[in-house]
Amino acid sequence: MANSRYEYVKAFEQDDTLLPNTWIVVRIDGRGFHKLSDRYAFKKPNDRRALDLMNAAAVEVLKDLPDLVIAYGVSDEYSFVFHPSCELFERRGAKLVTTIVSTFTAHYIYLWNHYFADTPLQPPYLPSFDGRAVVYPTNRNLRDYMSWRQVDCHINNLYNTTFWMMVLRGGMSNTEAEEELKGTVSSDKNEILFKRFGINYNNEEEIYKKGSVVFRQYQIEETKTKDGPVPSEEDGAPQGAISKTQQEKLRKLRRKAQVIVEHVDIIKDEFWERRPWILSGKPGKLPEA
């Protein structure tokens, strides 16, 4: 860039480099999705088309950005995770967030007609997302974050499933259903579903109860310990810098792996133990054909 007397304005730019050697989570959320879901008649309490669309967009984001190691989605939110060794965009927060948000939104809109063929998008009801970046210093912090989101998924889905059954099948108004559900616990909601509507919540689809986990698939490993915890690097010790050449090599290896979506428990150790490449950041062996 040529020097000029106007170049001084660059001094107003603030450094937003995220802490080194930490997990970076970029969480995006739909903006105004309550109105969007009403406009395009999303089914209550869950619209499988909408969830599949979110997942399809997330898969494309992981394909576009091999630095990502895992993502987790529920409803109109998605969390995308960069490994502590990631140096993409020199770890500038704004660049990482805007890249994730814009890439996800672009694919979401592009894929919309595949899932909502009968209801094309029309202004002003267009989907958009906001995002933020948060850093976590240890594997345990990262896993606790993911567990938090999955627990929220279960709590919210159980409430929404009960609420909408009471409204749609029980003939109650929204206010009446809200009043009756105030102060209830999980067992109360399960009882309402079973006794009034013959619904065993345990039999509901896993995507609704557990959300969606997106990651690259390599050969699954046998669980090494039955109940022992996955090493969590609680001390936050540096894992060592990775050169640009090594980073590019890892990106090429990751691009060869298939990106898949599963609806599984990510709170227990088993998921992480059988997929060590997620926490290590090192690609595993590709599944045999």
Side-chain angles (χ1 to χ4, degrees):
M1 181 182 295
N3 293 327
S4 74
R5 65 190 182 93
Y6 304 110
E7 193 173 356
Y8 78 92
V9 296
K10 290 175 60 178
F12 290 92
E13 296 181 10
Q14 292 185 323
D15 178 43
D16 67 342
T17 303
L18 300 176
L19 286 173
N21 195 36
T22 55
W23 293 94
I24 301 172
V25 176
V26 175
R27 186 166 84 240
I28 68 172
D29 293 277
R31 293 182 62 249
F33 258 59
H34 179 72
K35 292 181 179 179
L36 187 85
S37 63
D38 287 344
R39 172 63 179 80
Y40 297 106
F42 283 17
K43 297 176 182 178
K44 307 291 187 182
N46 295 293
D47 192 309
R48 183 59 187 260
R49 300 168 302 169
L51 295 176
D52 287 343
L53 173 55
M54 290 285 293
N55 294 340
V59 166
E60 295 304 319
V61 172
L62 259 73
K63 289 180 180 178
D64 286 350
L65 299 172
D67 292 81
L68 290 165
V69 294
I70 192 172
Y72 176 77
V74 55
S75 186
D76 64 339
E77 80 165 48
Y78 240 102
S79 297
F80 295 90
V81 182
F82 292 100
H83 192 266
S85 61
C86 173
E87 292 293 336
L88 183 64
F89 303 134
E90 290 76 46
R91 297 176 69 88
R92 285 176 287 169
K95 290 276 285 187
L96 292 171
V97 172
T98 54
T99 297
I100 292 287
V101 169
S102 60
T103 303
F104 185 92
T105 304
H107 285 294
Y108 188 95
I109 293 174
Y110 177 75
L111 294 166
W112 174 273
N113 286 340
H114 180 76
Y115 296 92
F116 292 89
D118 298 330
T119 51
L121 290 171
Q122 295 180 342
Y125 301 99
L126 298 176
S128 63
F129 298 82
D130 59 39
R132 77 221 69 176
V134 182
V135 296
Y136 297 96
T138 68
N139 290 4
R140 174 53 58 188
N141 294 149
L142 183 276
R143 283 191 55 189
D144 285 348
Y145 169 82
M146 302 291 277
S147 298
W148 170 49
R149 301 318 306 138
Q150 190 162 67
V151 168
D152 257 24
C153 171
H154 162 69
I155 293 174
N156 292 334
N157 186 64
L158 178 57
Y159 180 92
N160 290 334
T161 300
T162 309
F163 174 86
W164 285 109
M165 287 301 102
M166 294 168 73
V167 172
L168 298 177
R169 289 176 54 181
M172 300 177 71
S173 68
N174 288 14
T175 301
E176 290 171 337
E178 288 173 358
E179 284 297 319
E180 184 169 342
L181 288 175
K182 277 185 179 179
T184 59
V185 295
S186 295
S187 58
D188 299 325
K189 299 179 184 70
N190 276 291
E191 186 175 358
I192 291 173
L193 286 174
F194 188 74
K195 288 189 174 180
R196 297 189 194 178
F197 309 107
I199 296 174
N200 184 337
Y201 183 75
N202 291 329
N203 295 334
E204 292 294 289
E205 292 189 56
E206 295 299 290
I207 186 175
Y208 304 141
K209 296 185 297 181
K210 291 186 170 68
S212 301
V213 191
V214 184
F215 56 93
R216 291 177 183 80
Q217 180 68 302
Y218 299 102
Q219 287 187 23
I220 298 292
E221 297 191 9
E222 294 298 323
T223 304
K224 296 179 181 178
T225 59
K226 186 174 182 181
D227 299 309
V230 175
S232 61
E233 296 178 6
E234 288 290 348
D235 58 359
Q239 301 175 10
I242 297 179
S243 68
K244 289 185 178 181
T245 301
Q246 290 174 314
Q247 290 175 25
E248 189 55 39
K249 182 179 180 181
L250 288 175
R251 290 188 185 105
K252 289 181 180 180
L253 290 173
R254 290 176 185 138
R255 290 186 189 279
K256 294 180 180 180
Q258 181 184 5
V259 178
I260 65 172
V261 181
E262 291 192 352
H263 317 293
V264 295
D265 190 317
I266 56 174
I267 298 174
K268 297 177 182 177
D269 290 339
E270 182 181 4
F271 173 84
W272 306 92
E273 288 181 347
R274 303 196 70 188
R275 300 163 184 84
W277 60 85
I278 296 175
L279 293 181
S280 71
K282 299 176 181 178
K285 295 181 180 179
L286 293 173
E288 296 179 1

